[in-house]
Amino acid sequence: MRYVVGRVLSAIPVLLGVAIIVFLILRLIPGDPATLILQGTEITPDRLAQVRAQFGLDQPLPAQFVVFIGNIVRGDFGYSYLTSSPVSSELAQRIPSSLGLASGALIVALAVGIPAGILAGVRPNSFIDRVMTGVSVLGIAIPYFWLALLLISVFAVNLRWFPALGVNGINALVLPSIALGLGYAAIITRLLRSSLITIYQQPYILVARAKGLSESRILFRHALRNGISSSITMIGLQIGNMLAGAVAIEVVFGRPGIGYYLVDSVNKRDIPAIQAIVLLIAVLYVVINIIVDILQGILDPKVRKDW
Amino acid sequence: MTQGTLITAPVLPSVRRPARRERSFVLRHLGALVLVAASVAIVVVVAAAPLIAHFSPIDVVGPARTAPNGTYWFGTDNLGRDVFSRTLFGGQQTLAIAAISIAVATFIGVLIGVVAGYFSGAGSMTLMRLMDVLLAFPTMLLALVVIAVAGSNAQTLTIAVAIAYIPTFARVVFGSTRRIRSEDYILAARVVGCSTLRILYNHVLRSLFVEIIILASSALGWAVLLAAGLSFLGFGVTPPDPEWGASLSAGTAYINNAFWMSAAPGVAITLVILITNLAGDRIAAWWQRTGR
C-alpha cells in the first residue's frame, strides 16, 4: 500500500509540469494570443481589449495559470476558437471512438505478441523461432500508416471483408486495430522471446525440471510469470506512443477520434483544442504508467522494495 | 519511466550453439557486411539522386498513373511525375530531416545528461525533472506541440523531431553518467589533477561513446518514422517538394489503381528502419560480447 501511495504521489510534480507546458503553448506562439483568437475576423483595438479581458490575457502570467488549472480541474477546457463550442463537449464526443481503437490495438498487440513470443522463446533458433523473429523484425520496421493502407487495399477493397472507412460497429474497428497494434505485437514478441531465453537458463528452471514438473507448468507457472514483466513495462511505455500513433490511423480510416481532432486543430491553430488534447493524452500516459508500475509490484515483490 | 518513449531493441541473449569450424572473415561477418553495404547503398543512391534519376522529381514527365515499366521504373503518380525520381529526391528530404534532428538531439541530450549526471545540485535536479515532464509526452505529441507553436515547414519539422528525442537521450545518458561517476578511474583522474572538462570529455564521454552510438542508430530509424508520419499528416515539407511521408499520403487515394505511388516510399521507409534497427542490435550485441 505504501508503494501504491508513493508511486501516485511521485507523479504529482510531473503532472504539474505537464500542465505548465500545456499552458505555455498559447504563450509561446509568436505574436499576441488575442490576435490569434480573433483570426479571420476584423481586428480592432476595442475588440482586442475585449478579448484580452474575456480570456484573462490582461492578467499576469501566474494568475492566468491559476485560473487555467482551476478551469481544467472543473473539466472546462475553454471554447474552440473556430466553432465557439466548449472543447470539453467536442472531446467527449470523440473519446469513445479513440478508446475503442486503443483497446483494439492493445488486444491485437497482446493476443499476437504473447503467443508469438512464447513460441519463439521456448525453442530458440528453431525454425518457428526464426520465422517469428523474422516477421517481428519486419513488423517493427513497417510504418503503421503504410500498413494501414495495405490492409485497406487487401481486406477492404479486394476481399471486402471489412469496411475501409467509418466507425460503424465492431467490424470497422478490426483493420485500424491491426494496423496500430501489429508493430507493438512485434515488440512484445521480441522482448518476451529474449526474456524467456534468459529465464530458461536460470537454475530455478533446472530445479523445476528436476522436480519432474511438466513443461507447460514450468512455462506458465515459473518462466512466464517472470518473463512477462518486462513486456508489461514496455507496453506501459508504449501506450503513450500508441495513443499518439492513433492520430495517423484515425486520419487514414476516417475515424473522428481525438487524434483526428488534434490534426485538425493544429492545422487550424485552434489552441484551446490543442491544449485539451495534449493534456488529455499526457495525463493518460502518466496515469497508465502508474498503473503499470503498481501491476509490476503485484507481479514481482522485488519491485516494491525500491519504495 | 526509465528509458523514455524510444523503442530501444532488447539485447538478444546469446544461445549456445554447437561448435563450428572456423569460417572465413566474410562468412563470419556476413550479416554486418550486408548491413554496412545496404546503408552505404541507400545513402549513395539518395545523395546521387540528380545523377541517377532521369527525370525531374517535380515536373510532369509522362501520362498520369503509368504502371512501372522500362522508362518509369517505379511508375508515375496521379499527376504524371516520375515516382522513382520522387522517391530518390524524397529520400534526401526525409533522411536529412531525420539525420539533422538526431544529430541535434544527440548533442543537446548528451550535453544535458552528462552535465546533470556528473554534477549534483539543484540545477541538475531541475533539468532532469524538466526532462521527466517532457518524457510524459509521447514523441509524436511533443513534435506536434512544437509544430503547433512554431508553424509547419521543413525547418520546424526538423526542430520538432529533435526536441521530441532530446529527453530520451538526456535520460539514458544521465543514468549512465551517474553510474560511472563514482567509478575508480574517474576518482583516479581527479586525484592526478585532471580538470573537470578533461574528465567529462576524456573519461565520461568516451566510455559512453558506444552506448550513445547504439541509441542514436536506432533513434535514427524512429526519427525517419516520426518525420515521415508527421509529413504524412500534412505537416512539414510543402508540396510539390517530394518527401517519403508526403508521397505516401498522396498515394492513399490511389491505393487501388496506382499502388506503386505509396509502395515506393513505404518500402523505402521500411528498409531504412530495418537497417537502423538491425545495426543498433548488432552493435549492442557486439558491445555486450566484448565486454565494456
Side-chain angles (χ1 to χ4, degrees), chain B residues 90-124:
Chain B
Q92 291 188 346
Q93 286 273 6
T94 310
L95 294 182
I97 290 171
I100 294 172
S101 53
I102 287 304
V104 172
T106 308
F107 182 76
I108 299 178
V110 168
L111 195 67
I112 293 176
V114 165
V115 169
Y118 190 77
F119 303 101
S120 35
S124 300

Side-chain angles (χ1 to χ4, degrees), chain B residues 42 45-50 52-53 74 83-93 242 244:
Chain B
I42 288 188
V45 165
V46 165
I52 297 171
F74 289 180
V83 174
F84 178 68
S85 166
R86 285 184 72 74
T87 307
L88 293 195
F89 281 94
Q92 291 188 346
Q93 286 273 6
W244 287 346

Side-chain angles (χ1 to χ4, degrees), chain B residues 65-186:
Chain B
R65 281 181 274 136
T66 314
N69 59 36
T71 320
Y72 311 107
W73 292 352
F74 289 180
T76 62
D77 69 1
N78 56 318
L79 300 174
R81 297 174 297 193
D82 182 45
V83 174
F84 178 68
S85 166
R86 285 184 72 74
T87 307
L88 293 195
F89 281 94
Q92 291 188 346
Q93 286 273 6
T94 310
L95 294 182
I97 290 171
I100 294 172
S101 53
I102 287 304
V104 172
T106 308
F107 182 76
I108 299 178
V110 168
L111 195 67
I112 293 176
V114 165
V115 169
Y118 190 77
F119 303 101
S120 35
S124 300
M125 277 301 287
T126 321
L127 212 54
M128 289 323 290
R129 285 283 148 257
L130 176 66
M131 292 300 122
D132 282 346
V133 169
L134 291 179
L135 279 172
F137 297 91
T139 45
M140 179 127 180
L141 200 64
L142 200 53
L144 272 172
V145 167
V146 175
I147 287 172
V149 169
S152 163
N153 56 53
Q155 283 81 18
T156 55
L157 179 64
T158 313
I159 297 168
V161 175
I163 291 179
Y165 284 109
I166 288 175
T168 310
F169 277 93
R171 249 284 146 218
V172 173
V173 173
F174 171 80
S176 310
T177 309
R178 270 286 142 97
R179 204 185 58 235
I180 61 172
R181 184 175 61 163
S182 46
E183 295 265 350
D184 290 343
Y185 69 91
I186 302 280

